[in-house]
């Protein structure tokens, strides 16, 4: 607001434009061109960086996927021989070990994503709807619910890995020692249980985001809708079903897509929970690619898998956007 | 929210009001709703708070308490882990590295994003849509996609020019821009769009150049949004694991990787791990909770609309 006062406080408006005009005339580029060029000038730093950090690496990544880029060529990857589609062929040959492992990892990732996104979304909606009205302690609870999202992921997940330790963790202390649900303390970070451990940790970590976005979306629903419903005699549960949930639909569509992309691509949670080599039941795709690349040092194969992953994500996103936008058209 | 609180519970008992009981007014929801709310929110609260409690309580335990069977409460309260963490691993150096890397990535991306977002928000030009779509789509790509090529590029630049990018803080900052920059641009476009164009047009008429309008009108008006974007960028960079796990060496290691140093071959110092985790969390959690309102408004301005 102070800026609006400056013209009034300063000298009258006419004089200032004068000197620039003469100066402009000297290094005369037509004003139209200057104006047209300005947005590009403003964009230049972002464009250069975009090129440097996104476009060039993606190009290089695609080139890499067509090369035989094993350990001996890492330092001089330009010399690595071309291998055509070999990397892709190996990746999708589901009868051979590499392809089989990739397929299994893909399956695990899909199951994990569906479960984790579904649960995170459900918890987020539930909490947001229940906290729409004010009550005592609401602010405090809200801050608590947002904490998992604010914590650095490594601090949070390391704590979970401590809680999931077989011999000295909280989970087994409760499940085995206090409740006596199992005969012997189960392993949570190796074997089949690790899938569920991963889902729980991922849900704990992501549901606050859904909560945050949905809370904000709920504030945009006009109060008059509820008041009108009340006049018509609708109870609070009916209001939730008939007003709150339908109003959230457009936000939900974006939210679910974002949650899907994050969860599907998640590297941090599995890496911090299990390390470089995740148990088979929790071998998410990004860990799998990381391991294929940095443990076995076959960058060609890793790149081919990355490209396949990218194609899959683009496909899912396109289909999803198409389906949801069609639904929206029907509504309107 | 405020107007619901002051709204009278029920009007005079006309026939219509008799049909709609007082209970249904938003200030006094029915018991079924209140009880559902209490139970569900308590369960969620326990689920959310347990790890936080474990982190805090374990950081105050002597080593014997964390190596044996789990204890809910410390056998004797000690702050020794908070003293030991600085010697077991060079935590102060990791802290400094995280601060430099996350701080530099934040400053770079926000400054560059301010210009870019201003251009996109205020001008119509060829390629505008291509730019925004590119920015948006890079946000959906997994980090692993950029990790392999960037790693190779850095290694190769090092080999051909002798500039040791790989393992340096500068290279790590650059890789962090892969996620902080698109996010900042995207959020700031939304934020700048919400500032009335009349404001900076008035400044242009008053003789400001476009940059003058940006820095004297748009930026001051968008401070909450810029703060939100900066905090969020800092948080993500502070917590980043993937690039840090590959692109750092002994001297440039960040907290994300450094904390793994508390696990030795024979022993995991869980009480120290928890203390160090807490120390690493305090700056971002404090920032987040303090700036929560800005953050929520900033995040949702871009995400919801």
């Amino acid at each position: 607001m102070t800026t609006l006062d400056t013209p009034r406080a300063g000298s009258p408006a006419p004089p200032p434009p004068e000197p620039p005009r003469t100066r402009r005339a000297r290094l005369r580029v037509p004003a139209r061109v200057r104006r047209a060029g300005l947005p590009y000038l403003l964009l230049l730093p972002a464009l250069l960086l975009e090129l440097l950090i996104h476009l060039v690496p993606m190009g290089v990544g695609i080139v890499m996927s067509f090369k035989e880029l094993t350990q001996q060529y890492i330092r001089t990857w330009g010399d690595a021989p071309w291998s055509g589609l070999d990397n892709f062929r190996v990746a999708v040959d589901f009868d051979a070990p590499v392809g089989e492992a990739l397929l299994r990892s893909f399956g695990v990732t899909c199951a994990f994503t569906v479960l984790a996104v579904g649960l995170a979304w459900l918890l987020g909606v539930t909490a947001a709807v229940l906290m729409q009205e004010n009550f005592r302690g609401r602010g405090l609870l809200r801050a608590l619910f947002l904490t998992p999202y604010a914590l650095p992921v490594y601090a949070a997940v390391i704590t979970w890995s401590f809680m999931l330790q077989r011999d000295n963790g909280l989970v087994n202390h409760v499940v085995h020692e206090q409740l006596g649900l199992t005969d012997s303390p189960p392993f949570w970070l190796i074997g089949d249980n690790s899938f569920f451990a991963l889902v729980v940790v991922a849900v704990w970590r992501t549901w606050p985001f859904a909560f945050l976005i949905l809370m904000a979306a709920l504030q945009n629903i006009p109060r008059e809708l509820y008041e009108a419903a009340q006049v018509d005699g609708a109870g609070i549960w009916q209001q939730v079903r008939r007003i709150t949930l339908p109003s959230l639909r457009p936000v939900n569509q974006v939210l679910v897509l974002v949650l899907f992309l994050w969860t599907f691509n998640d590297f941090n949670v599995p890496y911090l929970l299990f390390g470089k080599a995740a148990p088979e039941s929790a071998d998410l795709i990004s860990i799998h690619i990381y391991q294929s690349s940095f443990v076995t040092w076959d960058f060609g194969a890793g790149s081919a898998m990355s490209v396949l992953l990218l194609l899959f994500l683009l496909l899912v996103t396109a289909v999803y956007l198409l389906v949801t936008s069609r639904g929206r058209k029907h509504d309107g | 929210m405020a107007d619901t609180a002051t709204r009278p519970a029920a009007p005079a008992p006309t026939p219509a009001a008799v049909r709609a009981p007082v209970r249904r007014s938003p200030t006094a929801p029915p018991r079924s709703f209140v009880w559902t709310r209490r139970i569900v929110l308590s369960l969620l609260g326990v689920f959310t708070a347990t790890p936080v409690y474990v982190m805090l309580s374990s950081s105050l335990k002597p080593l014997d308490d964390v190596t044996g069977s789990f204890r809910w409460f410390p056998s004797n309260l000690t702050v020794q882990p908070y003293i030991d963490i600085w010697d077991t691993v060079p935590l102060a150096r990791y802290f400094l590295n995280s601060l430099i890397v996350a701080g530099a990535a934040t400053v770079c991306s926000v400054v560059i994003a301010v210009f870019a977002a201003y251009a996109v928000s205020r001008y119509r030009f060829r390629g505008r849509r291509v730019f925004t779509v590119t920015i948006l789509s890079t946000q959906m790509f997994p980090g692993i996609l950029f990790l392999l090529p960037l790693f190779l590029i850095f290694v190769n630049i090092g080999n051909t020019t002798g500039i040791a990018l790989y393992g340096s803080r500068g290279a790590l900052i650059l890789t962090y821009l892969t996620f902080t920059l698109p996010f900042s641009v995207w959020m700031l476009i939304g934020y700048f769009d919400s500032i009335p164009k009349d404001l900076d047009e008035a400044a242009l008429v008053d003789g400001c150049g476009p940059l003058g309008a940006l820095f004297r009108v748009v930026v001051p008006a968008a401070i909450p949004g810029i703060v939100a974007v900066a905090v969020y960028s800092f948080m993500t960079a502070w917590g980043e694991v993937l690039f840090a796990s590959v692109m750092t060496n002994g001297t440039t290691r960040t907290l994300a990787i450094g904390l793994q140093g508390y696990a030795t071959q024979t022993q995991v110092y869980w009480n120290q791990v928890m203390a160090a985790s807490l120390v690493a969390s305090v700056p971002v959690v404090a920032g987040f909770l303090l700036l929560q309102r800005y953050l929520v408004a900033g995040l949702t301005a871009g995400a919801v609309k």
Side-chain angles (χ1 to χ4, degrees), chain A residues 4 21 63 69 100-101 110 117 138 145 149 152 158 163 210 226 230 287 304 316 331:
Chain A
L4 289 181
R21 208 168 280 162
V63 170
L69 206 56
E100 198 195 336
C110 288
V117 170
R138 179 167 170 262
F145 284 171
Y149 183 61
I158 286 176
M163 287 164 57
Y226 291 105
Q230 249 165 16
I287 287 280
V316 171
D331 284 347

Side-chain angles (χ1 to χ4, degrees), chain A residues 22-102:
Chain A
T22 48
R23 218 189 298 154
R24 219 177 271 167
R26 216 179 297 154
L27 37 107
R28 186 74 192 173
V29 186
R32 252 170 49 92
V33 177
R34 283 172 48 95
R35 264 189 66 80
L38 182 69
Y40 298 107
L41 207 64
L42 289 168
L43 278 185
L44 193 64
L47 282 175
L48 283 178
L49 263 179
E50 214 30 45
L51 201 69
L52 196 67
I53 59 180
H54 283 135
L55 300 181
V56 168
M58 276 180 68
V60 169
I62 291 170
V63 170
M64 280 162 66
S65 66
F66 293 106
K67 289 204 158 202
E68 194 187 314
L69 206 56
T70 47
Q71 193 162 11
Q72 63 192 111
Y73 294 110
I74 295 280
R75 296 201 165 271
T76 51
W77 69 280
D79 300 339
W82 290 95
S83 62
L85 288 171
D86 273 0
N87 289 322
F88 291 93
R89 224 170 276 140
V90 171
V92 297
D93 179 3
F94 300 136
D95 295 326
V98 174
E100 198 195 336
L102 182 65

Side-chain angles (χ1 to χ4, degrees), chain A:
Chain A
M1 289 304 108
T2 49
T3 44
L4 289 181
D5 296 337
T6 37
R8 225 184 302 144
S11 52
E18 279 302 324
R21 208 168 280 162
T22 48
R23 218 189 298 154
R24 219 177 271 167
R26 216 179 297 154
L27 37 107
R28 186 74 192 173
V29 186
R32 252 170 49 92
V33 177
R34 283 172 48 95
R35 264 189 66 80
L38 182 69
Y40 298 107
L41 207 64
L42 289 168
L43 278 185
L44 193 64
L47 282 175
L48 283 178
L49 263 179
E50 214 30 45
L51 201 69
L52 196 67
I53 59 180
H54 283 135
L55 300 181
V56 168
M58 276 180 68
V60 169
I62 291 170
V63 170
M64 280 162 66
S65 66
F66 293 106
K67 289 204 158 202
E68 194 187 314
L69 206 56
T70 47
Q71 193 162 11
Q72 63 192 111
Y73 294 110
I74 295 280
R75 296 201 165 271
T76 51
W77 69 280
D79 300 339
W82 290 95
S83 62
L85 288 171
D86 273 0
N87 289 322
F88 291 93
R89 224 170 276 140
V90 171
V92 297
D93 179 3
F94 300 136
D95 295 326
V98 174
E100 198 195 336
L102 182 65
L103 186 64
R104 196 192 50 227
S105 166
F106 179 73
V108 167
T109 312
C110 288
F112 164 75
T113 307
V114 170
L115 213 57
V117 170
L119 286 171
W121 177 81
L122 196 67
L123 295 187
V125 168
T126 311
V129 167
L130 292 178
M131 287 173 75
Q132 193 181 8
E133 302 294 341
N134 208 352
F135 58 88
R136 259 158 61 99
R138 179 167 170 262
L140 213 65
L141 207 56
R142 185 185 141 107
L144 172 68
F145 284 171
L146 293 178
T147 307
Y149 183 61
L151 283 173
V153 61
Y154 48 86
V157 179
I158 286 176
T159 308
W160 272 102
S161 86
F162 175 51
M163 287 164 57
L164 292 164
Q165 293 291 308
R166 180 169 183 264
D167 295 324
N168 55 352
L170 172 143
V171 174
N172 276 348
H173 180 66
V174 172
V175 169
H176 176 68
E177 289 171 33
Q178 293 193 323
L179 298 177
L181 295 177
T182 53
D183 295 333
S184 62
F187 285 102
W188 294 106
L189 298 177
I190 53 175
D192 289 344
N193 288 338
S194 41
F195 178 78
F196 299 105
L198 184 63
V199 170
V200 170
V201 179
V203 169
W204 181 84
R205 172 96 190 138
T206 37
W207 83 267
F209 180 75
F211 168 69
L212 182 75
I213 297 295
L214 290 171
M215 279 272 279
L218 287 181
Q219 284 170 6
N220 292 337
I221 302 177
R223 302 263 5 135
E224 294 81 48
L225 281 181
Y226 291 105
E227 279 155 22
Q230 249 165 16
V231 170
D232 290 344
I236 196 156
W237 292 112
Q238 261 179 309
Q239 291 172 26
V240 167
R241 228 183 49 229
R242 298 281 165 80
I243 303 175
T244 313
L245 294 180
S247 309
L248 290 180
R249 220 171 127 200
V251 176
N252 271 331
Q253 288 175 349
V254 179
L255 177 66
V256 167
L257 180 65
V258 170
L259 287 180
F260 164 79
L261 291 171
W262 281 356
T263 311
F264 197 91
N265 295 332
D266 194 15
F267 173 86
N268 297 338
V269 175
Y271 177 80
L272 291 162
L273 217 46
F274 308 116
K276 280 181 181 149
E280 273 187 18
S281 72
D283 186 23
L284 296 193
I285 199 97
S286 44
I287 287 280
H288 191 79
I289 295 176
Y290 181 92
Q291 210 213 356
S292 309
S293 314
F294 286 98
V295 178
T296 58
W297 293 102
D298 189 347
F299 270 52
S303 302
M305 292 178 196
S306 302
V307 171
L308 291 175
L309 172 65
L310 177 64
L311 291 177
F312 173 76
L313 290 175
L314 286 175
L315 185 76
V316 171
T317 309
V319 168
Y320 183 86
L321 289 178
L322 215 66
V323 169
T324 53
S325 70
R326 189 179 299 156
R328 212 171 288 174
K329 237 173 261 163
H330 280 300
D331 284 347

